[in-house]
Amino acid sequence: MASRLHLNVFVPATGHHEASWRLPGTTPERVDDVHYYREIAQTAERGRFDSIFLADVPAVGRHADRVAQSSFEPLTLLSALALVTEHIGLIGTASTTYTEPYNLARQFASLDHISGGRAGWNIVTSWSSAAAHNFGFDGRLGHTDRYERATEYLEVATALWDSWEDDAVVVDRERGIYADTDKVHRIDHAGAHFLVRGPLNAARSPQGHPVLVQAGSSVEGRAFAARFAEAIFTAQVDLGDAQDFYRDVKAQAAAFGRDPGTVKILPGLSPIIGSTEAEARRIEQELTDLSIPEVGLAHLSSRFDDVDLSGFPLDGPVPLHALPRPEDVQGAQSRSRVIFDMVEREPGLTLRGLLHRLAGARGHGTIVGTPEQVADRIVTWFEAGAADGFNIMPPYLPGSFDAFVDHVVPILQSRGVFRTEYESTTLRDHYGLPRPAARRSSPVPVS
């Protein structure tokens, strides 16, 4: 399966375009309706997608009056979706900065059991300052501090998932023994951030560990991903840059002693699809016309540590001089780099033009065209060593995702790069990933 393309769908409330909720055919009144997400998940499963992916920011977003927002917590929603799907992977975002590893390890083990082995964890360090104020912080932690905490967090979580050996549960009714406690181990972790005795109070789950997903592309983010991640959601808009990122992360993974083939690189791609290119351009223009500049400015500001951009003319040049350099950003460092590079490649780009570019996918790749053109873009990047697949970001829901599943997926299948049927039921198997062997952090059994 080395040549098999992977596809995930990244599902926000009404779509990735910030004006999607204003587009006729979307249903913003349903963003708190679990059946709405069930329908999207079942569409993804019909399209033989590897997974559905839910992001999370534990705070009310900017301009709550101007942007449709869902209130669902990802793991709660994914547990509900597990019961109405059979094959689709279920990837949820959870923060290493604002949660504790024992609770989170337990939650993902539970989701993996509930779904029969379809759980994935998108690991984030949470750069949002709004989220920091909801968890007793005066402001967000620094970039380096967040990654140091995240590294120890992963060590604790994986040790907890491994605290039960695979054959610890014996269910011996005759002897009255449910579990062999010699095979259930404390982890006895004592580190700079966490003190956790263990073991987890849940038997080892079907996948051993949930699939580990990460989205950082900064220097520290790449190193973290190369060490831990099994799938990497990245933002790339240029083929050459994507190839460089792909080679770099795979090489770093090899340096950590990992098989680079077990690290899947999945750039975001937001496709606007029409039966003709003209129709797709019309939809793009309609979304652009519905955009609200104040919303775009707030989003852009958040990528650069909340720099105030309200005083700059929209039809003037992008004020790069007023922005911190990406390497100095303490929040969204990798995304600020994507934006900086975009502007430097197009020196005539206005601030309004940049907002329009970012409105649809916030720095991820976009394409506007026919199903054949979208498929061509996907196959070109896949075959050029720029991606192992894509994190599809529908600009509006459900219409643009329906179009992708009904018209783009069949082309990819006919070209032999994407599955026509599921061969298995676990997310690890969809990705071609091995099941991790249980490793003991401590020889001390729970008894």
Side-chain angles (χ1 to χ4, degrees), residues 280-354:
R281 294 291 176 190
R282 180 191 58 77
I283 297 170
E284 178 189 36
Q285 188 60 52
E286 187 173 3
L287 285 164
T288 296
D289 292 343
L290 293 171
S291 298
I292 301 170
E294 291 80 8
V295 172
L297 279 173
H299 284 161
L300 179 59
S301 171
S302 71
R303 303 301 184 188
F304 290 92
D305 291 347
D306 303 319
V307 169
D308 184 5
L309 298 170
S310 60
F312 293 95
L314 291 175
D315 295 312
V318 178
L320 287 185
H321 66 278
L323 302 175
R325 295 289 304 180
E327 59 270 20
D328 297 324
V329 168
Q330 293 303 304
Q333 202 171 96
S334 59
R335 198 57 49 81
S336 65
R337 167 54 64 190
V338 169
I339 296 169
F340 232 85
D341 290 348
M342 184 186 301
V343 176
E344 289 184 329
R345 276 196 296 264
E346 299 182 52
L349 190 62
T350 65
L351 182 55
R352 188 189 302 275
L354 177 62

Side-chain angles (χ1 to χ4, degrees), residues 37 74 89 112 148 207 214 298 306 310 388 402:
Y37 296 95
D112 207 46
E148 287 178 354
Q207 294 187 115
Q214 208 266 341
D306 303 319
S310 60
D388 294 307
D402 289 340

Side-chain angles (χ1 to χ4, degrees), residues 29 51 97 118 127 133 150 190 195 231 394:
E29 62 277 3
S51 78
T97 303
R118 293 184 281 143
W127 53 265
H133 293 295
L195 183 65

